[in-house]
Amino acid sequence: MSRYTRTKPVEAVVGERVIITIKRIGINGEGIGYLRHKIIFIPGVLPGEVVSATITAVAPKFLRGEMTHIEKPNKDRVQPADKNFGKVGGLELNHLAYPAQVAFKDDVLRQSLEKFAPRDYKDYQIKPGIGMANPTHYRHKAQFPLAVEKGGKIIAGMYAPGTHDLISITHSITQSPRTMQTINALVEILNALHMPIYDLQQHRQGLRTLVVRESASTEDLQVTFVSSVEDFRDRDRLVAAVKATMPAVTSVMENVNPDDTSLIWGPKTIHLAGASTITEVLRGNKFVLSPEAFFQLNPVQTEELYAIALRALNLDKADRLIDAYAGVGTLGLTAAKHVAAVRGMETIAAAVHDAQRNAEINGITNAVYEVGKAENVIPRWRKEGFTPTALIVDPPRTGLDVALRKTIVQERPPKFVYISCNPSTLARDLVTLTEAYDVDWLQSIDMFPQTARCECVVKLSLRK
């Protein structure tokens, strides 16, 4: 028997005070360090900082902590400009100087690639991220849940992370001024009319969420009341008050969500007043937007994003482009004038209807949109004689469906661009896609300053 015995490391416990050196920022914006060979996540801290922290959670493979004091600050630390920093999500990087935020998002790409290790990932060219000249007040859509405080006052805001506690939001560094002004005015009306607010615990039906969308091009505003029941009390009085006091609101809608769910949108949308849509303009095309329609929230950076994607595709008049995850057709219709034909698909029928309508509004006759999953529709189109020469995908944060990844590798369109809003699922998808494609480069575009979210354009070339 050895005269030396290996001692078991001392386990961390909740409430323990520790000193941690922060190694990097994680993909969700939290600081990452190590304690007794176990990773620890601490929000609100930056790489290189030495901090005092209290352990708040102990799990088999990781710890969570809360910073109590910064012993040694990072040179890029700044005073958060939003008073709700640390209270709600969507402000994870508000304490970091903006150039360092942009650099962090490039680092997130590298972290994700290292984790999933797609083919030849160490040789990928990661172009420097593109930030904003003014990285504030860029969001042109607000979705704020409603609640009633103990004193009976109605508030709109965001939930504290991991809780059902709603924090009232009246000012926001990320929202456009007009969306916040509209939210605040609506809350005043709700309080004046003593409108019913949904509460699951109290078994009370009523309004759940306020949604405000602003058109950057026309300045029209669309208001949608998400409610638990269709004909909520005093609905007509509410609509009349909006019409009388808010002339900039050109569309008033209601969405009905009767389920106990964290999802905002329900299955039914009702037109209450004004127009049923508002119009946005992107790269010369008009797009009508119904309340649930997906449209990028940052109009300035969307122009940049689409310009980069189109340059990467390098389309010509002979190309046949597939626009997967087409939404209301923004990408495909933007590209339509450069190609012979565009075909797109989307699983949401209302979005396909909007895409077809948007093609008609803009006089685009070479674009066709269908309801269905890309992995089912693309092979059927090939059997019908439509062979794509170019493909663009812009999936949600969950990335590409497994079946679609396999379909792309089988179909192998020569020109391929992937727009990602989640570096982790992008890197995962590249493991499959690089069975047939080489990655030419990755380019991050900061669509969401002050947050940890990262948008990226990837140019892929069919391997010869």
Side-chain angles (χ1 to χ4, degrees):
M1 182 175 176
S2 171
R3 56 185 288 195
Y4 299 104
T5 58
R6 180 174 294 175
T7 59
K8 194 174 182 180
V10 177
E11 289 295 328
V13 295
V14 172
E16 183 181 354
R17 294 285 296 272
V18 295
I19 301 292
I20 301 291
T21 299
I22 305 304
K23 300 299 184 182
R24 65 183 189 274
I25 307 177
I27 60 172
N28 296 313
E30 70 285 88
I32 292 178
Y34 294 88
L35 178 68
R36 301 165 200 157
H37 307 292
K38 188 177 282 189
I39 193 169
I40 181 168
F41 299 99
I42 306 174
V45 296
L46 298 172
E49 293 188 331
V50 178
V51 303
S52 298
T54 302
I55 295 175
T56 57
V58 177
K61 294 186 178 181
F62 66 89
L63 308 170
R64 294 196 184 278
E66 182 178 285
M67 182 266 291
T68 56
H69 179 70
I70 300 173
E71 308 285 341
K72 176 187 173 185
N74 182 303
K75 64 179 177 59
D76 290 317
R77 175 174 284 276
V78 296
Q79 182 65 29
D82 195 304
K83 68 178 183 179
N84 291 304
F85 172 76
K87 298 178 183 177
V88 299
L91 297 167
E92 296 85 5
L93 301 184
N94 195 215
H95 61 319
L96 182 62
Y98 187 61
Q101 291 186 29
V102 177
F104 155 73
K105 296 184 184 188
D106 290 343
D107 186 57
V108 167
L109 287 174
R110 294 187 184 94
Q111 288 184 45
S112 298
L113 292 171
E114 288 171 4
K115 178 180 178 181
F116 289 93
R119 175 179 171 143
D120 297 331
Y121 76 95
K122 292 182 180 179
D123 298 326
Y124 293 173
Q125 179 189 4
I126 299 179
K127 297 185 177 184
I130 297 174
M132 295 188 72
N134 179 13
T136 61
H137 304 297
Y138 56 84
R139 293 178 66 99
H140 280 240
K141 186 179 182 182
Q143 298 182 155
F144 284 9
L146 296 163
V148 180
E149 293 183 319
K150 288 183 179 179
K153 182 182 178 182
I154 298 169
I155 60 171
M158 299 173 66
Y159 291 106
T163 76
H164 293 288
D165 299 329
L166 194 72
I167 307 297
S168 176
I169 306 289
T170 57
H171 299 84
S172 171
I173 196 172
T174 60
Q175 289 292 153
S176 75
R178 294 182 77 236
T179 58
M180 280 312 309
Q181 290 164 8
T182 305
I183 289 284
N184 292 337
L186 290 169
V187 170
E188 282 189 22
I189 292 173
L190 297 182
N191 276 292
L193 296 179
H194 304 289
M195 295 300 299
I197 304 302
Y198 173 76
D199 188 308
L200 177 64
Q201 280 70 39
Q202 299 293 328
H203 305 288
R204 185 173 61 223
Q205 302 298 330
L207 298 173
R208 302 174 64 131
T209 305
L210 295 179
V211 182
V212 175
R213 194 201 297 264
E214 175 192 8
S215 167
S217 54
T218 67
E219 298 188 349
D220 287 344
L221 291 162
Q222 182 180 65
V223 168
T224 304
F225 298 105
V226 181
S227 60
S228 62
V229 289
E230 178 176 333
D231 192 13
F232 57 87
R233 176 172 57 79
D234 286 336
R235 184 178 70 178
D236 291 345
R237 289 181 66 205
L238 175 59
V239 173
V242 171
K243 290 169 65 177
T245 62
M246 305 176 71
V249 174
T250 60
S251 173
V252 184
M253 307 291 289
E254 178 190 356
N255 176 263
V256 185
N257 183 358
D259 298 328
D260 174 19
T261 174
S262 59
L263 298 176
I264 291 177
W265 298 100
K268 185 176 184 179
T269 300
I270 303 161
H271 178 208
L272 297 180
S276 60
T277 61
I278 60 172
T279 301
E280 188 60 277
V281 178
L282 177 63
R283 297 184 68 81
N285 288 327
K286 294 180 179 180
F287 295 94
V288 293
L289 304 176
S290 53
E292 306 99 311
F294 171 77
F295 196 82
Q296 294 284 358
L297 302 177
N298 184 333
V300 173
Q301 292 294 78
T302 299
E303 292 276 352
E304 188 76 46
L305 175 73
Y306 283 20
I308 292 169
L310 288 175
R311 286 199 298 269
L313 278 171
N314 191 27
L315 298 167
D316 60 50
K317 288 292 187 181
D319 276 318
R320 298 174 299 280
L321 172 68
I322 285 182
D323 175 17
Y325 302 92
V328 298
T330 48
L331 272 167
L333 297 179
T334 300
K337 65 182 178 182
H338 303 289
V339 298
V342 173
R343 291 199 181 185
M345 74 290 293
E346 176 61 69
T347 57
I348 301 170
V352 172
H353 177 268
D354 284 347
Q356 293 167 336
R357 185 179 173 192
N358 287 328
E360 184 179 342
I361 288 171
N362 291 285
I364 295 171
T365 58
N366 63 338
V368 175
Y369 290 88
E370 286 189 22
V371 178
K373 292 184 176 181
E375 58 267 25
N376 298 330
V377 174
I378 292 173
R380 174 168 58 79
W381 281 345
R382 178 180 282 275
K383 288 180 181 179
E384 295 170 356
F386 183 85
T387 304
T389 61
L391 170 68
I392 191 162
V393 297
D394 186 6
R397 290 183 61 77
T398 51
L400 301 179
D401 186 276
V402 175
L404 179 55
R405 282 177 251 162
K406 293 179 180 178
T407 297
I408 292 170
V409 170
Q410 291 169 355
E411 297 292 330
R412 303 192 177 204
K415 299 177 181 180
F416 181 19
V417 165
Y418 187 142
I419 298 177
S420 167
C421 59
N422 185 339
S424 289
T425 53
L426 167 65
R428 177 205 67 193
D429 293 350
L430 288 176
V431 173
T432 303
L433 297 176
T434 51
E435 294 173 9
Y437 289 87
D438 290 323
V439 174
D440 294 347
W441 48 258
L442 302 94
Q443 171 79 73
S444 69
I445 301 97
D446 193 13
M447 300 289 287
F448 301 100
Q450 319 306 327
T451 82
R453 290 184 61 182
C454 176
E455 200 96 2
C456 178
V457 176
V458 186
K459 185 180 187 302
L460 301 102
S461 295
L462 191 62
R463 190 177 303 117
K464 297 180 181 179

